[in-house]
Amino acid sequence: MAETRTTCPYCGVGCGIVARQEADGSVAVAGDPDHPANRGRLCSKGSALAETLALDDRLLHPLVNGRRVAWDTALDLVADRFRETVRRHGPDAVAFYVSGQLLTEDYYVANKLMKGFIGAANIDTNSRLCMASSVAGHRRAFGSDTVPGLYEDLELADLVVLTGSNLAWCHPVLFQRLMAAREARPEMKLVVIDPRRTMTARAADLHLALKPGSDVALFNGLLAYLAAAGAGDTAFIQHHTTGIQEAVVAAGADDTEATSIATGLPVVQLRRFYDLFCRTGKTVTVYSQGVNQSSAGTDKVNSIINCHLFTGRIGRPGMGPFSVTGQPNAMGGREVGGLANQLACHMEIENPEHRRIVQDFWQSPVMAQRPGLKAVDLFAAVRAGRIKALWIAGTNPVDSLPDADGVRAALSACPFVVVSDVARHTDTTACAHVLLPAAAWGEKDGTVTNSERRISRQRAFLPRPGDARPDWWIFAEVGRRMGWAQAFAYDGPAAIFAEYAALSGISNDGRRDFDISRHAGMDAAAYDGLAPFQWPSPAGAASGGETRFFADGGFFTADRRARFVPTAYRPPAEAVTAEDYPLVLNTGRVRDQWHTMTRTAKTPRLMSHIGEPFIELHPDDAVACGIGPAGLAIVESRYGRAIVRALVTDAQRPGCVFVPMHWTDRYAARARIDAVVNPHADPVSGQPELKHTPVRVRPFGAAWYGFAVLTARPAEIGAGYWAIAPVAGGWRLELADTETPASWEAFIGELCGLPAESGHEVLAYHDAAASRHRFAVFRDGRLVAALFVSPDPVEAARGWLSEQIGQAFADPQERLRLLAGRAGAGRADRGAIICSCFSVGLNQIVAAVTQGGCLTVDEVGGLLQAGTNCGSCRSEIGKVIDGVRVQNAS
Ligand code: SF4
């Protein structure tokens, strides 16, 4: 058994992992008890990492126009086309679009190639979608992209404000740390600001379900309240800041009634929040995508920071504004200059001295002189024909960028598209001329930086399959072939990291925040043993020193003072219109999926939590739209449309709907929600407004609904709506269409790929009058398929049926029971899975409450183990308990 210490490749918490490889080649993962970010904890996604390592659908060889080629052929082609495009059209005619999933060393080489050798800054990253507004807000206020605090501050605070952050689902281990601290100190208060009553909001002492996009009005109101209350830290403001007057004027008068109108929040709630913030010194405000993904995202960030600067609550234990990143290495990307408007090591592309430092260090022939195109503008330039060669690395913009159908059209029109990825089939790889196989998690070495500036190693513990290579190697090989052999002559990631660390210390006399020069010149052995550390880590510094920023000022502006930024409130870019688009679409994540599902959808365990794309809408809106519970809804905007399952819930504000960002054409017929999302972006950060698109919702108009389980994934699915998910022995499939097939027998035959003479036994039940049809298909006595058709959303024990696929059914009575669609007496149907770690379903938790007498989450855990491992599901268990108790009381 071999053990490797590495880091989780999903969210920005950056949990340490111990990967154990057994003699038989199998892998088990566990939380690293010694990693400071997670202290042994992992969430459901991290715990299931070993189940995502199978090589099915891996891109294993370079492909040119779908044909396998040698690496030399593919690399020469990419280098030739990029070089020729630059020669004919100039450096701004090429672009890289990279990813917060890249390791820092990958990012560093890609950025060096584009900015220092090709000579343009058209390299942007999917981190633009994640936290660009935080970067811009930090730079405006602090003069640098600095996260002042540490995770520990969430535990030390007396008040934690979570705004635009569903921490329970999106950063579960950090949320569990917060919950543990709160349990130890019940006096700690939690305020959650979110239009939705999320699982995070359920844990709050105060939930402010504000009007979408009104955050600036809320925090301006707070600043005005603090000013009126005389709650400012006069000494801090006087010695360490500028611009207070302008910010207070822009915030407006202390008028809670007016703020109530702007935010839609009751005055009493506003006063409670403002008073709590005003009198609680140890306050941390955590913000994430709900703040960043907005056409006013940068102002939102600055309106939050203004309140912390005003009270001097920054950089001290238990105090500060705290941006939490969505991606595993969004921070590393920021540090190496992976965004189109940055240089490496937090140097600024607009600063001639910074350009000189970097160019001298790289000994590069050219240097980008101005910021490049940010993500949304970059793809608009591709569509307009201005960018003629594009390299996409480790990301899936055909699904994740707004106006995603426009992105697909842009790629179709682009003369040369290269995609390097680990997955063979994505909606983006389908648009590529050249596919380059990248090494995946577990196969590559490098570093990542988490949301508290902690740099950790990702270490390889698996052999690289096929021709897969690390991303840094692919970029370096293209750089060499474009004529810069010396500059890209790296023999491994240690050499890249050593160079990067050295650059961070060049001419840095303490006027730049990012400095890891203590690690300059590090050799491969030291790199291999590198323990997690936080920056700053300058040359000569002792390890273990204070790593918070700004408690005593020392901001990275010219005068070392922070800037209050006036933030007048402005509404989202597009307003709802009562006639055409009356609802606000919000998009985001679900607990057990990651981005566009290329890894998390490989594991049935994670797909058993939520296996189908959905729209959450308030009961009043559901009635107005003519949508019934579990019906299918078409959600459409000026930009596109999607078809998703309706989840009617009062957790939504009336007038607002939510659809998850994850589903792609691989897993559903038409659920790419970013095709519906508007492409407006923040004017400062360029981050798109993924949380606010006016839409309308109408019924799909299904003539029939179906549910099927199958041993094999169908090559084609002949229905206007479908959503597919893997289960232990095959697949489960939701179906619907507006037209009824001429023959159900033929339909299920096509679904199963059954030739007429196949020897399958088909058991059927028809109630023609009620338009209900059921089929079970057996081969050699084992269930290979079942299909349930109904004019209404199908009622069937989906979890139980999914477990029957591939099982032997010798008893005719058992076969008939199968057609009933539910577990018979004495057979357990767990229901929808709530606890992924122990596969505990809704029905089991309900029974634990109603029959087992459990009254608390811990009691349910004691009986069923649910919620006792990663803890990601504890809020949902609490919700189930509350629901049962309310039902019993009524
Ligand atoms: S919280 Fe979960 S997804 Fe995020 S780094 Fe930790 S284990 Fe990975």
Side-chain angles (χ1 to χ4, degrees):
M1 186 179 76
E3 276 194 0
T4 305
R5 289 191 136 72
T6 185
T7 311
C8 178
Y10 294 128
C11 84
V13 178
C15 295
I17 281 180
V18 179
R20 294 187 183 85
Q21 197 168 20
E22 310 290 347
D24 65 1
S26 64
V27 172
V29 301
D32 182 349
D34 298 328
H35 197 288
N38 57 317
R39 302 170 192 154
R41 293 183 176 96
L42 290 180
C43 75
S44 50
K45 292 186 288 290
S47 304
L49 268 166
E51 297 159 36
T52 66
L53 302 176
L55 297 182
D56 52 298
D57 201 40
R58 274 295 295 274
L59 176 61
L60 294 173
H61 307 285
L63 303 175
V64 174
N65 295 323
R67 195 172 51 84
R68 180 174 168 179
V69 298
W71 264 114
D72 279 339
T73 307
L75 293 167
D76 285 345
L77 174 65
V78 174
D80 287 351
R81 288 295 297 261
F82 271 74
R83 187 173 42 226
E84 184 58 16
T85 305
V86 171
R87 189 187 67 76
R88 291 183 59 193
H89 303 286
D92 289 325
V94 301
F96 296 166
Y97 184 64
V98 298
S99 163
Q101 279 77 59
L102 294 183
L103 304 185
T104 297
E105 291 74 3
D106 305 323
Y107 246 135
Y108 179 84
V109 176
N111 186 53
K112 179 177 177 179
L113 175 57
M114 178 55 80
K115 290 183 183 143
F117 289 81
I118 291 174
N122 283 342
I123 172 169
D124 212 39
T125 156
N126 62 10
S127 298
R128 181 71 60 192
L129 315 178
C130 172
M131 37 29 66
S133 296
S134 284
V135 175
H138 292 163
R139 291 177 71 184
R140 289 203 307 193
F142 308 146
S144 58
D145 175 21
T146 313
V147 175
L150 317 176
Y151 290 161
E152 183 185 76
D153 293 322
L154 275 72
E155 296 163 324
L156 297 174
D158 294 325
L159 168 64
V160 173
V161 181
L162 298 176
T163 179
S165 162
N166 186 5
L167 206 73
W169 276 19
C170 301
H171 301 93
V173 166
L174 191 53
F175 184 70
Q176 289 308 319
R177 282 183 63 168
L178 174 61
M179 289 298 101
R182 200 156 159 248
E183 202 169 311
R185 287 194 301 120
E187 67 277 13
M188 182 197 279
K189 293 284 182 270
L190 176 63
V191 174
V192 173
I193 301 167
D194 196 313
R196 289 199 298 153
R197 194 168 72 247
T198 60
M199 286 300 158
T200 307
R202 288 185 54 80
D205 297 293
L206 176 63
H207 172 211
L208 301 177
L210 80 177
K211 224 187 261 179
S214 65
D215 313 55
V216 169
L218 177 67
F219 282 95
N220 278 351
L222 174 59
L223 184 63
Y225 183 94
L226 294 169
D233 181 335
T234 314
F236 189 88
I237 294 169
Q238 194 177 354
H239 294 117
H240 301 305
T241 71
T242 61
I244 178 62
Q245 292 307 331
E246 294 84 345
V248 170
V249 168
D254 175 28
D255 183 347
T256 317
E257 277 79 11
T259 307
S260 170
I261 292 166
T263 60
L265 292 168
V267 167
V268 64
Q269 284 192 356
L270 284 170
R271 291 216 170 108
R272 199 172 148 208
F273 169 51
Y274 290 172
D275 178 57
L276 201 51
F277 193 103
C278 185
R279 63 183 159 80
T280 311
K282 285 186 159 186
T283 296
V284 170
T285 306
V286 175
Y287 46 96
S288 195
Q289 276 78 352
V291 162
N292 295 331
Q293 293 173 338
S294 162
S295 59
T298 310
D299 278 356
K300 289 183 184 180
V301 169
N302 284 113
S303 69
I304 294 166
I305 292 173
N306 284 347
C307 296
H308 279 270
L309 291 175
F310 187 78
T311 49
R313 295 174 191 161
I314 188 165
R316 289 188 277 159
M319 302 184 196
F322 203 119
S323 150
V324 181
T325 63
Q327 302 187 87
N329 201 28
M331 289 282 277
R334 286 148 74 164
E335 291 154 15
V336 299
L339 293 162
N341 51 333
Q342 294 178 327
L343 284 180
C345 301
H346 280 189
M347 283 183 261
E348 295 163 4
I349 205 163
E350 301 91 342
N351 183 323
E353 176 61 8
H354 287 178
R355 291 200 301 270
R356 185 197 61 74
I357 291 170
V358 178
Q359 186 169 8
D360 285 355
F361 183 81
W362 282 344
Q363 300 277 292
S364 66
V366 289
M367 176 57 64
Q369 297 294 304
R370 59 181 187 279
L373 294 169
K374 297 173 183 135
V376 173
D377 293 339
L378 190 151
F379 280 86
V382 173
R383 197 170 183 184
R386 299 201 303 279
I387 287 174
K388 300 171 193 307
L390 174 66
W391 185 345
I392 298 165
T395 184
N396 194 359
V398 171
D399 296 321
S400 55
L401 274 171
D403 189 16
D405 286 345
V407 171
R408 182 178 264 165
L411 296 188
S412 302
C414 186
F416 190 61
V417 178
V418 181
V419 176
S420 38
D421 208 316
V422 302
R424 170 63 186 90
H425 295 101
T426 72
D427 294 334
T428 298
T429 60
C431 302
H433 301 99
V434 178
L435 289 177
L436 303 176
W441 182 79
E443 301 160 6
K444 60 193 289 192
D445 278 292
T447 54
V448 291
T449 309
N450 74 2
S451 300
E452 61 166 355
R453 292 177 275 104
R454 190 177 299 280
I455 295 178
S456 301
R457 283 291 319 276
Q458 269 196 20
R459 294 184 175 89
F461 55 90
L462 294 169
R464 288 196 305 267
D467 289 333
R469 294 286 184 276
D471 291 278
W472 69 261
W473 181 90
I474 304 173
F475 280 111
E477 280 297 319
V478 170
R480 290 186 207 205
R481 286 157 205 259
M482 289 182 77
W484 304 299
Q486 186 60 34
F488 294 94
Y490 301 111
D491 61 2
I496 302 166
F497 185 81
E499 177 181 313
Y500 167 54
L503 173 57
S504 75
I506 299 278
S507 304
N508 191 357
D509 53 0
R511 300 190 79 84
R512 299 198 307 270
D513 62 341
F514 182 77
D515 191 336
I516 56 168
S517 53
R518 196 158 78 90
H519 308 278
M522 173 174 268
D523 64 17
Y527 179 73
D528 199 38
L530 188 66
F533 70 96
Q534 282 177 306
W535 62 262
S537 183
S543 63
E546 172 64 90
T547 54
R548 289 184 182 88
F549 282 89
F550 309 141
D552 300 312
F555 294 92
F556 295 97
T557 52
D559 59 7
R560 305 308 297 253
R561 287 168 176 266
R563 304 281 185 262
F564 281 95
V565 179
T567 55
Y569 168 63
R570 58 197 153 82
E574 282 190 25
V576 296
T577 53
E579 324 74 55
D580 297 326
Y581 301 105
L583 300 168
V584 173
L585 169 68
N586 176 10
T587 62
R589 295 178 168 158
V590 299
R591 192 190 75 191
D592 286 358
Q593 291 304 321
W594 179 253
H595 282 199
T596 57
M597 302 167 69
T598 50
R599 287 174 292 178
T600 43
K602 281 186 165 186
T603 151
R605 193 150 64 101
L606 294 182
M607 286 299 273
S608 65
H609 177 232
I610 297 173
E612 189 180 13
F614 62 90
I615 182 169
E616 276 184 3
L617 73 172
H618 189 272
D620 295 348
D621 293 324
V623 170
C625 297
I627 309 279
L632 287 169
I634 296 174
V635 50
E636 54 196 349
S637 69
R638 292 177 179 86
Y639 306 93
R641 70 185 187 120
I643 307 168
V644 286
R645 183 75 61 183
L647 188 59
V648 179
T649 167
D650 65 3
Q652 278 295 326
R653 271 179 67 97
C656 300
V657 299
F658 172 85
V659 178
M661 61 173 279
H662 307 291
W663 269 265
T664 70
D665 285 352
R666 289 279 294 156
Y667 292 98
R670 193 167 187 132
R672 293 169 47 250
I673 196 60
D674 278 305
V676 181
V677 170
N678 77 78
H680 297 288
D682 180 279
V684 183
S685 70
Q687 182 152 1
E689 185 147 71
L690 301 173
K691 301 283 188 199
H692 193 288
T693 302
V695 295
R696 64 175 162 240
V697 174
R698 60 188 171 89
F700 173 65
W704 60 273
Y705 294 84
F707 173 73
V709 289
L710 305 156
T711 46
R713 182 179 172 137
E716 297 283 331
I717 303 172
Y721 173 81
W722 56 264
I724 195 162
V727 297
W731 299 85
R732 54 181 276 183
L733 180 60
E734 301 285 347
L735 296 153
D737 210 341
T738 52
E739 304 281 334
T740 304
S743 158
W744 285 111
E745 281 75 11
F747 183 85
I748 191 165
E750 279 169 25
L751 213 52
C752 305
L754 295 181
E757 70 289 0
S758 62
H760 290 75
E761 299 167 59
V762 179
L763 200 61
Y765 163 84
H766 298 282
D767 180 347
S771 302
R772 295 183 197 280
H773 310 272
R774 294 172 185 176
F775 299 87
V777 184
F778 302 90
R779 188 180 179 106
D780 300 329
R782 293 184 181 277
L783 181 72
V784 294
L787 172 66
F788 299 81
V789 176
S790 149
D792 317 305
V794 172
E795 285 185 24
R798 286 168 164 74
W800 177 79
L801 282 166
S802 300
E803 290 168 7
Q804 308 313 307
I805 199 77
Q807 299 294 319
F809 280 81
D811 180 355
Q813 289 303 318
E814 291 284 320
R815 292 184 172 200
L816 284 175
R817 200 164 292 135
L818 196 70
L819 280 189
R822 50 181 56 87
R827 295 180 178 258
D829 172 23
R830 286 182 277 190
I833 296 299
I834 302 290
C835 170
S836 299
C837 295
F838 295 109
S839 293
V840 180
L842 174 66
N843 295 349
Q844 292 170 286
I845 296 169
V846 170
V849 179
T850 54
Q851 297 157 29
C854 296
L855 297 175
T856 66
V857 175
D858 286 335
E859 286 173 7
V860 170
L863 193 67
L864 301 171
Q865 288 186 289
T868 60
N869 184 37
C870 74
S872 305
C873 61
R874 290 178 66 86
S875 301
E876 283 163 281
I877 296 170
K879 184 180 169 193
V880 174
I881 295 170
D882 291 350
V884 172
R885 291 170 69 180
V886 166
Q887 208 169 24
N888 287 349
S890 60

